[in-house]
Structures are given as structure tokens and as C-alpha cells.
Amino acid sequence: MLPTNRGRPQQRPPPPRSWSFLSEMVDFSDPKRRPRYLTKLVMAALLTAMCVLMLTQPPCHRRASPSVFSTRQPGVTHVLLTGGAGYIGSHAALRLLKDSFRVTIVDNLSRGNIGAIKVLQNLFPEPGRLQFIQADLGDPKAVNRIFAENAFDAVMHFAAVAYVGESTLEPLRYYHNITANTLVVLEAMATHNVKTLIYSSTCATYGEPDKMPITEETPQFPINPYGKAKKMAEDIILDFSKSKKADMAVMILRYFNVIGSDPEGRLGEAPRPELREHGRISGACFDAALGIIPGLKVGQ
């Protein structure tokens, strides 16, 4: 006689639990469920990648919507001012804005002063007057994007490293920053049909002339990498402007001993401490003006 089990039917013990992440989410034994979960995983990965890409883009590459800077307005001249956070560039921006020009400043702030930008923004807060884009002219894609997203009527090219002594220590840096970057700006102007250029050069292109005073007819024989890089940039600009394809209006400025500040004291020269030895003003003068030392005594 076979034994009879009068109790409740015994249940099979549960299978061992898998601690695999994918096993928890997807039952791969069910071929109908597998594609759906894999699709969700792929979509989640793509969305995450897109978010990371957007967050890591430089500020100048993210534009919410077209602005007044991207369209031409009758009676308003829109000037691209490179190096507008620098000493000479910021004063040029101030004058342009006072004269009712629309100004876009592009500066990588390697030598420029963000404080100058803030001063200008506070003085001219009205929409459509001033915008600042932090970008490097050594990046052709960034420069081309800036031209594509803005309607420029003219370019004032001030951006450059500008110390004679430093240029003898780092000549390649000066040729890249001055000559090569100017070529990038010219190519963008040609691509986007901008026909007016004011170029900030230097008296260093004259070298040590035989006769004084220096005039427009004085031969240019630069003797240091700074002057040579500027002279090369001038030659490129003039050669291109004379070509039939360019049809450009060009002005070249060569400065002698630029010094001083805005008469109302809103802007002035403010080199970084490590660059004071290369500047036009003694570091002791800066220390006295800032109150770091009580004053200066000038000997006989």
C-alpha cells in the first residue's frame, strides 16, 4: 500500500536569486521583453550623452535663440572688437559705445581684464548694445561660428600678446598669437563677406630707423619677434585687401608709447602681476596707486 500524503501539496523552492543588474531589469528568457528593455537602455544612454555634451560646450557655443546681434539694423553699425578686454581694446570699445555703435567683444582673457568688460556692461546695459564672447582666435571653428551667428559690419582687431621682451623669450607663441590668428580672422571675414578692417599694429615694425621722426614713408625693418609678427600680419592684410576677391577697406594703426586711462578713471592699464616687468608702467607705480606702498620718491 502506497503512502498517502494527506497534507497540502508541497511547493517547489524558489530558484536562486540572480544579483546581476541586467538580470534584475530584463528577463532574457522572454524574447518578447528583451527588445523593449534594450531599446530603453539605448535611449537612456543617448540622452545622457547629449546632456553631457551640452553642458561641456563653451559659453560662446551655446546660444538660446537669435538676437539683435545676428541681424542688421538700418543706421546701426555692428563692430566685432577682438581683444576688447585689453588695455587699448577696452578704451576703443568705450568710444564705440559712446558713439552708438553696436559692439561684440571677443577675448580669451589670457591677457584681458574681465573687470573692464564689467565696467562696459554696467555703463551700457541696454539690450543690443554690447555682448561679450569668451573665445580664442586660435580656434578657427569657434571664430567661424561667431561670424556665422552675428551680423558684423566691421572688425577692429586688437587681440594680441604685446611685450617685446617676452617675444624674444617665446617667439613661436608670438607668431601663432599674432600672425596665425590674424589669418584666421581674415579667412572668417572673407567667408562671411565682412569688408572693413581696422588692425592694431605697433611702432615696433619700424625697428631702429635711421632718421627721425618716423613717418608713413619710413621703411619697416622690425628687430624682434613681436615687431616681425605684426609686420607679417600687416603684409597678409594688405596683400589680401588688394586682391579683387577681397575688395576690403583697411586701416593699420601703429602705436607709440600708449599710456594713460579713461579721463573719468573707469578704465586703465591693469596687467597681471607676473607681467608688470614687461609693461609700460613701473610695478612700483602700480603698488603706490593701490596703496601697497605709501608713495614714490623720484631722485634727481
Side-chain angles (χ1 to χ4, degrees), residues 4-27:
T4 303
N5 188 350
R6 298 179 180 271
R8 300 175 61 184
Q10 293 184 355
Q11 297 181 352
R12 292 185 178 182
R17 185 176 183 182
S18 171
W19 295 101
S20 166
F21 174 74
L22 289 176
S23 296
E24 290 290 323
M25 294 184 61
V26 185
D27 183 2

Side-chain angles (χ1 to χ4, degrees), residues 25-177:
M25 294 184 61
V26 185
D27 183 2
F28 285 106
S29 63
D30 186 347
K32 294 182 179 180
R33 298 178 64 188
R34 188 185 309 168
R36 183 179 61 183
Y37 282 103
L38 288 177
T39 300
K40 290 182 178 180
L41 285 173
V42 171
M43 290 182 64
L46 288 174
L47 288 172
T48 302
M50 290 177 61
C51 291
V52 171
L53 182 62
M54 292 178 63
L55 292 173
T56 55
Q57 286 292 309
C60 65
H61 293 174
R62 297 197 305 266
R63 298 177 69 90
S65 59
S67 68
V68 294
F69 293 93
S70 64
T71 57
R72 284 186 169 82
Q73 180 179 341
V76 177
T77 301
H78 185 183
V79 179
L80 166 62
L81 202 161
T82 70
Y87 175 38
I88 301 175
S90 61
H91 284 80
L94 177 61
R95 180 56 185 265
L96 288 170
L97 291 164
K98 287 174 66 176
D99 289 348
S100 300
F101 286 82
R102 176 173 291 161
V103 177
T104 292
I105 291 176
V106 173
D107 200 302
N108 67 0
L109 298 180
S110 63
R111 295 291 169 87
N113 188 342
I114 190 62
I117 299 296
K118 293 179 179 178
V119 167
L120 294 169
Q121 290 172 333
N122 289 334
L123 290 172
F124 303 95
E126 303 88 355
R129 297 300 312 283
L130 170 66
Q131 70 169 336
F132 169 60
I133 302 174
Q134 185 173 347
D136 195 314
L137 298 182
D139 183 349
K141 290 184 179 180
V143 174
N144 189 68
R145 186 178 293 110
I146 290 169
F147 272 82
E149 294 176 347
N150 292 276
F152 297 127
D153 299 295
V155 175
M156 297 182 72
H157 182 27
F158 289 86
V161 286
Y163 294 121
V164 171
E166 184 185 50
S167 75
T168 63
L169 300 174
E170 302 181 68
L172 295 183
R173 179 180 187 181
Y174 272 66
Y175 290 119
H176 273 293
N177 182 272

Side-chain angles (χ1 to χ4, degrees), residues 124-272:
F124 303 95
E126 303 88 355
R129 297 300 312 283
L130 170 66
Q131 70 169 336
F132 169 60
I133 302 174
Q134 185 173 347
D136 195 314
L137 298 182
D139 183 349
K141 290 184 179 180
V143 174
N144 189 68
R145 186 178 293 110
I146 290 169
F147 272 82
E149 294 176 347
N150 292 276
F152 297 127
D153 299 295
V155 175
M156 297 182 72
H157 182 27
F158 289 86
V161 286
Y163 294 121
V164 171
E166 184 185 50
S167 75
T168 63
L169 300 174
E170 302 181 68
L172 295 183
R173 179 180 187 181
Y174 272 66
Y175 290 119
H176 273 293
N177 182 272
I178 295 173
T179 311
N181 286 6
T182 298
L183 186 57
V184 172
V185 172
L186 279 175
E187 288 173 336
M189 290 180 67
T191 300
H192 298 278
N193 202 34
V194 182
K195 299 290 188 179
T196 303
L197 172 65
I198 297 176
Y199 181 61
S200 175
S201 190
T202 171
C203 66
T205 62
Y206 292 110
E208 297 178 349
D210 296 329
K211 296 180 180 180
M212 296 294 285
I214 294 174
T215 69
E216 289 292 327
E217 287 72 36
T218 299
Q220 292 174 278
F221 295 110
I223 59 174
N224 53 65
Y226 172 52
K228 292 176 182 178
K230 284 288 190 178
K231 175 65 165 58
M232 289 180 187
E234 286 189 20
D235 291 341
I236 293 171
I237 291 169
L238 293 174
D239 285 345
F240 180 62
S241 67
K242 293 173 185 176
S243 66
K244 293 182 180 180
K245 181 179 179 180
D247 188 29
M248 288 180 64
V250 172
M251 178 177 287
I252 294 175
L253 308 176
R254 303 186 187 114
Y255 308 110
F256 292 77
N257 301 321
V258 178
I259 198 168
S261 66
D262 164 47
E264 297 183 34
R266 296 168 295 185
L267 295 171
E269 187 176 13
R272 302 178 189 278

